[in-house]
Amino acid sequence: MEDALRPKLRPERPAVGGFFTDKTRAFWILQGGGWLAYLLLRGLSGIANRMEPGFLLPALLATLTGFSLSLIMGSAYRRIITMRPLMVLLLSSLVLSAAAALFSVIEVWAHAAFYGDGWQPRGVEYLGAVLLDFSVLGAWTGFYYGINFYLLLAEQSARMVNVARQANVAQLEMLRYQLNPHFLFNTLNSISTLVLLRQTERANAMLSRLASFLRYSLVGEREGLATVAQEAEALKLYLDIERTRFEDRLRTRFDIEPQVMEARLPSLLLQPIVENAIKYAVTPSEDGADILVDARRMGDRLVITIADTGPGLGGTTGGTLPEPSESPPEGTNVGLANIRERLAQAYGPDHRLELADNEPHGLIVLIDIPYQTEANDAGLGSPRLAMGASPLPAAPVTGAVGASQDE
């Protein structure tokens, strides 16, 4: 029980995957590879211009100078990048200009000392290569800021997705834990009545079933998922509790295809529908009512129908669930708002929830969702599992419950 009540939302540190998973490693690969390409380019340029082999030494010194200066620039940019945009532009320009001037001085000196045939630069001549060096370091600066802003944006996007996911999970959990207080009140009242009548065995059995049902409602998976088999067992526990109250007036039948037993859906999704059927079909009738739970696979869809032999819709909704802004007919809105919201949170527009009259009388509730198992589902806890609607197959929503049997 402690595990069930322990907070499940833990902050996750957003990370950028792929090449930039290890940022330090990625930096040194790009840094080393970039300046090695610079040295290779200068070497090939010298060979193409038929320069003597001695030009390689000043080219190597220039490359090492650029490599070292870019490290110093990177250290300065790490402090600048978090400032306001105008300050980033101004300070980066100053750092770039100073580094380009120093780069030019060292490069011109190296060229004169090792390849200049006795020529000695003076004064402003040391800035003879400043435009080229400014371009090289400017390109390095552009790559540095571009990559770092990309990483910052990716981390912020991952953080926003994580926050949205946590909010989505919290909302799904809140909706999943909304047990109808009337059910608890009626159950506890029935147990109290059995105790007063000294029917201790029945009271104890009812308490055990209630405990099992509540345990199922509290210890579901983090994303609030359950298999069809687990959901059916929870419904049977719930119906056993209600059958203690209604006895033979509550007649149920489960018609579930074996191949959908491992299909997954939001846990406790069907209980409010069955509770609605009991409240409006079984309770007001002296003869009670039949309730059928049907689940089957239709292509890549899981189609679940719950039918009863109660009063039905009366033909006022045309087979579609009323919008929240509308006034739904009496007897169709208990728990359905919860189901609508949970389906929207879990599947986006890729679901269908419809109501229709059963023949000759009663109500059918149809739920049409993607068929998912533990091996192939995408996780209902993530925000907006379905980004767009996929075609929904036509599924029948009419038909009689037929001969029912207790199960």
Side-chain angles (χ1 to χ4, degrees):
M1 185 63 69
E2 291 181 359
D3 292 338
L5 298 179
R6 184 177 297 121
K8 296 180 179 180
L9 297 180
R10 299 182 178 91
E12 297 180 4
R13 183 180 179 183
V16 180
F19 178 73
F20 292 103
T21 300
D22 187 340
K23 295 181 183 179
T24 302
R25 175 177 172 273
F27 172 81
W28 286 110
I29 291 177
L30 294 175
Q31 175 78 350
W35 286 107
L36 184 61
Y38 174 79
L39 175 61
L40 181 62
L41 182 61
R42 291 199 61 165
L44 292 176
S45 177
I47 294 174
N49 288 293
R50 298 181 179 180
M51 299 177 68
E52 297 178 2
F55 83 94
L56 290 176
L57 183 56
L60 178 60
L61 289 176
T63 302
L64 293 176
T65 299
F67 182 91
S68 303
L69 286 173
S70 62
L71 292 180
I72 298 174
M73 293 168 62
S75 179
Y77 291 159
R78 279 195 295 273
R79 293 164 175 79
I80 295 173
I81 197 171
T82 56
M83 299 180 181
R84 291 179 298 177
L86 184 59
M87 293 299 296
V88 172
L89 179 60
L90 178 60
L91 293 178
S92 298
S93 299
L94 291 176
V95 171
L96 174 58
S97 299
L102 182 57
F103 194 179
S104 178
V105 170
I106 296 176
E107 183 175 8
V108 171
W109 170 83
H111 183 81
F114 300 101
Y115 195 72
D117 296 331
W119 171 70
Q120 293 296 325
R122 297 179 183 277
V124 75
E125 292 179 346
Y126 280 102
L127 299 178
V130 69
L131 292 179
L132 174 62
D133 296 335
F134 186 91
S135 300
V136 172
L137 294 181
W140 188 94
T141 298
F143 277 113
Y144 180 89
Y145 276 118
I147 292 174
N148 276 276
F149 279 126
Y150 161 75
L151 294 177
L152 287 174
L153 180 61
E155 288 185 357
Q156 290 178 358
S157 298
R159 189 176 296 110
M160 291 178 64
V161 169
N162 187 42
V163 170
R165 183 193 63 80
Q166 291 185 5
N168 197 42
V169 170
Q171 186 168 7
L172 285 173
E173 291 290 288
M174 177 194 70
L175 294 170
R176 191 165 65 95
Y177 293 155
Q178 283 182 351
L179 290 176
N180 194 316
H182 296 292
F183 158 64
L184 292 176
F185 172 80
N186 291 333
T187 301
L188 294 175
N189 189 57
S190 298
I191 293 173
S192 176
T193 301
L194 292 174
V195 171
L196 290 176
L197 295 175
R198 300 182 184 276
Q199 299 183 21
T200 55
E201 291 186 3
R202 293 183 64 192
N204 183 63
M206 199 168 184
L207 276 173
S208 298
R209 291 164 182 160
L210 177 61
S212 298
F213 180 78
L214 292 176
R215 186 182 300 113
Y216 173 82
S217 70
L218 291 174
V219 297
E221 300 179 40
R222 173 171 178 159
E223 293 84 4
L225 294 175
T227 63
V228 171
Q230 291 170 332
E231 190 75 354
E233 288 303 315
L235 280 180
K236 290 177 182 179
L237 283 172
Y238 170 73
L239 289 168
D240 284 342
I241 294 171
E242 295 289 24
R243 190 171 287 111
T244 305
R245 295 172 52 212
F246 296 102
E247 298 181 340
D248 294 339
R249 294 168 58 200
L250 174 58
R251 300 175 296 276
T252 61
R253 182 161 64 93
F254 287 77
D255 187 3
I256 300 176
E257 289 184 345
Q259 63 176 326
V260 305
M261 284 295 187
E262 297 303 315
R264 286 152 70 88
L265 72 164
S267 64
L268 294 179
L269 183 71
L270 307 181
Q271 186 266 340
I273 302 176
V274 175
E275 183 174 356
N276 191 76
I278 292 175
K279 182 175 182 179
Y280 292 97
V282 179
T283 302
S285 173
E286 293 183 0
D287 296 330
D290 301 309
I291 298 176
L292 168 67
V293 179
D294 181 282
R296 59 192 65 252
R297 182 175 182 177
M298 301 181 66
D300 60 349
R301 315 292 297 181
L302 173 64
V303 179
I304 301 173
T305 55
I306 298 178
D308 63 61
T309 55
L313 292 174
T316 58
T317 65
T320 59
L321 186 64
E323 295 298 324
S325 59
E326 300 177 5
S327 298
E330 182 67 22
T332 66
N333 60 341
V334 177
L336 293 179
N338 179 291
I339 297 171
R340 175 200 289 275
E341 195 165 353
R342 292 186 68 191
L343 289 173
Q345 286 288 323
Y347 302 104
D350 192 16
H351 74 276
R352 184 169 60 183
L353 174 61
E354 294 183 357
L355 278 69
D357 284 310
N358 192 18
E359 298 296 339
H361 57 84
L363 176 69
I364 293 179
V365 179
L366 177 141
I367 296 176
D368 185 333
I369 58 178
Y371 181 88
Q372 297 173 334
T373 62
E374 186 176 2
N376 66 10
D377 69 26
L380 296 182
S382 59
R384 281 288 178 254
L385 168 67
M387 301 306 294
S390 62
L392 298 178
V397 294
T398 58
V401 171
S404 300
Q405 62 184 17
D406 289 341
E407 185 170 322

